[in-house]
Amino acid sequence: MADTDVLGVRRGKGEAKQTVLCKVCGDRASGKHYGVLTCDGCRGFFKRSIRRDLAYQCKESNACPIDVARRNQCQACRLKKCFEVRMNRDAVQHERAPRTNHFKQATNEEIRCKPLKRKHNSYDQENLEFPPSQIHVTPRRKNSLTLR
């Protein structure tokens, strides 16, 4: 890595944690995106630009400075710098289709007409020898206690 790619940050007694910088704008890099260490801002900008197939035009001389403070001022120069640092256009995946609700609301009429589904068919298996017309259920009697 070049000297400008790493920034030393002190963490405590003599410990130094290295912070990797974005190759496009110099902000703190969040990881390797599209083949290059970049920040989340440049990752998202590059992804949107590629997915939407956007073409930007610089209002100056195609040499605008791209740093943390000015990265949003010229989209054309920012995208140009993304390509200069070798961000891979082919690594951007196509956008997923929006989710659809597969469950439609059932009307009251549909609910009344549908038979109940049981998790287990134990009732059917246990009572195969008796048709439903021959099965009678009698309610339990409450225990009556009389006090004297």
Side-chain angles (χ1 to χ4, degrees), residues 8-146:
V9 178
R10 300 207 43 104
R11 289 201 66 188
K13 293 183 178 181
E15 286 183 43
K17 181 185 177 193
Q18 292 183 341
T19 302
V20 182
L21 301 179
C22 174
K23 297 276 190 179
V24 179
C25 69
D27 197 0
R28 175 181 278 157
S30 62
K32 202 170 189 178
H33 307 287
Y34 310 116
V36 179
L37 287 167
T38 62
C39 64
D40 286 331
C42 291
R43 172 189 57 92
F45 170 78
F46 185 74
K47 179 179 73 173
R48 284 189 304 277
S49 299
I50 299 304
R51 279 188 179 172
R52 297 176 187 167
D53 198 27
L54 299 174
Y56 304 112
Q57 257 192 315
C58 179
K59 295 177 182 173
E60 298 297 322
S61 60
N62 287 325
C64 300
I66 304 298
D67 57 19
V68 180
R70 297 176 281 191
R71 65 184 175 195
N72 294 325
Q73 291 180 354
C74 183
Q75 294 172 317
C77 290
R78 187 178 185 185
L79 185 59
K80 183 177 120 184
K81 189 160 183 188
C82 287
F83 286 121
E84 285 173 0
V85 298
R86 317 274 297 159
M87 288 182 82
N88 185 1
R89 156 191 297 272
D90 297 326
V92 178
Q93 296 177 350
H94 296 292
E95 197 167 1
R96 293 182 180 153
R99 290 185 174 198
T100 59
N101 189 359
H102 294 287
F103 302 104
K104 68 173 192 171
Q105 289 289 339
T107 63
N108 286 338
E109 188 65 31
E110 289 174 328
I111 292 170
R112 277 187 249 132
C113 295
K114 288 184 179 179
L116 293 175
K117 292 183 180 179
R118 294 187 178 99
K119 277 189 175 179
H120 304 287
N121 291 333
S122 61
Y123 175 83
D124 297 334
Q125 291 169 357
E126 290 172 5
N127 299 299
L128 287 176
E129 56 195 79
F130 302 110
S133 61
Q134 292 181 357
I135 299 173
H136 299 286
V137 178
T138 56
R140 288 186 181 178
R141 292 186 183 172
K142 290 185 181 178
N143 293 340
S144 58
L145 296 174
T146 55

